[in-house]
Amino acid sequence: MQQDSGFDEFSVGINAYRVMAPEARAVGVRTHQLRFDNLGAESAGAVSSRVAEDFLTASRLRAPDREGVLSASDYFGDTMVTTLAQLDDDPVPAHQRVELPPSVPATMELGEALMRRRSVRGYSGDPVAAAELATVLRLADGVTAEADIELLRGGRETYRFRTAPSGGGLFPVALHVVALDVGGLDMGVYRYQPVRDVLVREGGQADVDRVLDAFTTPGTAISFDTAAALVVMVASPWRSMRKYGPRGLRFVLHETGCITQNLHLAVTSLGLGSTDCASFVDDRLHAALGIDGVLRAAVHAVVLGRLE
Ligand SMILES: Cc1cc2nc3c(=O)[nH]c(=O)nc-3n(C[C@H](O)[C@H](O)[C@H](O)COP(=O)(O)O)c2cc1C
C-alpha cells in the first residue's frame, strides 16, 4: 500500500473487503455493514456519524424532567385547549374541496383481517371506488369521537379523537392521497382533512407524475401502473416536539405506524390490497408535495389497489 500516492487505495480496500480500519479518513462508498462492524472502534466517528443513535439518546425520558414538565404544563391552559380544539379545522376553499361519499361496510371480523393482511404489490388495474377510498381514509385516521372540555375562564371547547391514537392528541401525521385510478375522482394529489372529512385538492396530473418519479421501487417490485392510489404520510414533527421535545419525534413515527396498520386492515377488510413503500427519494417527494422536508416531511407511504 502506498501512503503517499495521492490516491487513497486504503479506503478502496476497506470498502471492497470491509477491513476494520475506521481510522482511514477518506471519501469513499461505505456500507452500513462497515459502519456496524466498526461500532466498537475507538475512532468509529471517522467511518460514521451516529445521528440515529444520538436521536435515541436525546429522546430518552429522564427524571426529573423539569423542561418536560414545564413544556407540557403549557398545554393545560385555555389558550392551548382552544388551539387543540381547532386543530386541522382549517377552512377549505370551495375550489379545492372534494366531498367524499359515504363509507362502504367494512365488515370483515378483526381477527380475520389481521390474519389475511399481506403486502400486495400487484393489482388488477381496475379502479377503486371513491367510497372505498373514503372508507380506507376514515378507518385509517378519521374522526370517531368528540369530547367537551371545560375552559378555566368558563365556556367549553370540543376535542376530537380519531381511529389512531396520538400522543397528547396532537395528531402530527396527515394523509396525502395520490389518486391514480379512483372512480369519480380526478387524477391528482389530495390531502385528507379528517375534521371536515373532505379531500383538499392540492395538485394535478403533473404533480402525480412528480410524486411517482420520487419512488425508486422498480415496477417489477411494486406495480404503480396497476395501483389505484398512493397514500403518503406527512408529519409535522414540531406539533409533538413543541410539547415533548425530541421524544415527540418518536411519537410521530409511532403514530405513523398506527395509522398505517389501520389503513392496511381497512384495505384488507374491503378485499383490496396494499403494501408499504418507503423507497422514495425524500427531496423529490417533498418537492412534489410542496413541503420543506423538515417542518413537514414525508415519513411513509402505502400503495393500494384492487386485487388481481
Ligand atoms: C416500514 C416499512 C417499509 C417498507 N417498505 C417497503 C418497500 O419500500 N418496498 C416493498 O416492496 N415493501 C416494503 N415493505 C413491506 C415489507 O417488505 C413487508 O411488510 C415484509 O416483507 C413482510 O411481508 P408482509 O407485509 O406480507 O407480512 C415495507 C414494510 C414496512 C413495515
Side-chain angles (χ1 to χ4, degrees), residues 208-293:
V208 170
D209 292 341
R210 291 172 75 206
V211 168
L212 293 179
D213 280 347
F215 283 80
T216 57
T217 321
T220 45
I222 297 179
S223 173
F224 285 87
D225 285 348
T226 56
L230 183 62
V231 179
V232 181
M233 286 74 183
V234 173
S236 300
W238 276 104
R239 271 211 195 174
S240 296
M241 292 182 351
R242 185 182 181 277
K243 181 175 182 185
Y244 298 112
R247 199 172 187 78
L249 188 52
R250 290 196 193 194
F251 297 174
V252 166
L253 301 176
H254 177 107
E255 291 170 35
T256 301
C258 294
I259 295 169
T260 300
Q261 182 71 349
N262 281 354
L263 198 156
H264 286 313
L265 293 175
V267 162
T268 305
S269 74
L270 294 179
L272 305 171
S274 58
T275 184
D276 297 274
C277 186
S279 314
F280 50 81
V281 178
D282 297 60
D283 290 346
R284 283 189 209 156
L285 187 54
H286 294 147
L289 295 174
I291 56 179
D292 70 354

Side-chain angles (χ1 to χ4, degrees), residues 49-77:
S49 72
R50 306 284 289 263
V51 283
E53 293 152 290
D54 287 347
F55 164 61
L56 273 182
T57 49
S59 59
R60 284 178 190 165
L61 181 63
R62 296 186 168 83
D65 176 24
R66 293 193 179 87
E67 287 187 4
V69 170
L70 265 178
S71 302
S73 64
D74 189 30
Y75 284 75
F76 297 98

Side-chain angles (χ1 to χ4, degrees), residues 128-208:
V128 158
E132 290 172 314
L133 177 69
T135 310
V136 168
L137 294 172
R138 290 177 186 132
L139 293 177
D141 203 28
V143 172
T144 49
E146 294 185 345
D148 280 347
I149 308 291
E150 283 187 28
L151 295 167
L152 295 172
R153 65 168 182 267
R156 287 166 180 274
E157 291 286 7
T158 304
Y159 277 3
R160 298 181 185 85
F161 299 91
R162 306 188 191 178
T163 53
S166 173
L170 295 165
F171 303 105
V173 183
L175 300 181
H176 290 236
V177 181
V178 180
L180 303 169
D181 194 4
V182 179
L185 201 60
D186 290 342
M187 190 185 251
V189 181
Y190 301 83
R191 174 170 56 88
Y192 178 54
Q193 216 266 28
V195 171
R196 293 171 192 243
D197 189 39
V198 295
L199 289 179
V200 184
R201 189 174 164 82
E202 300 204 320
Q205 191 162 350
D207 301 291
V208 170

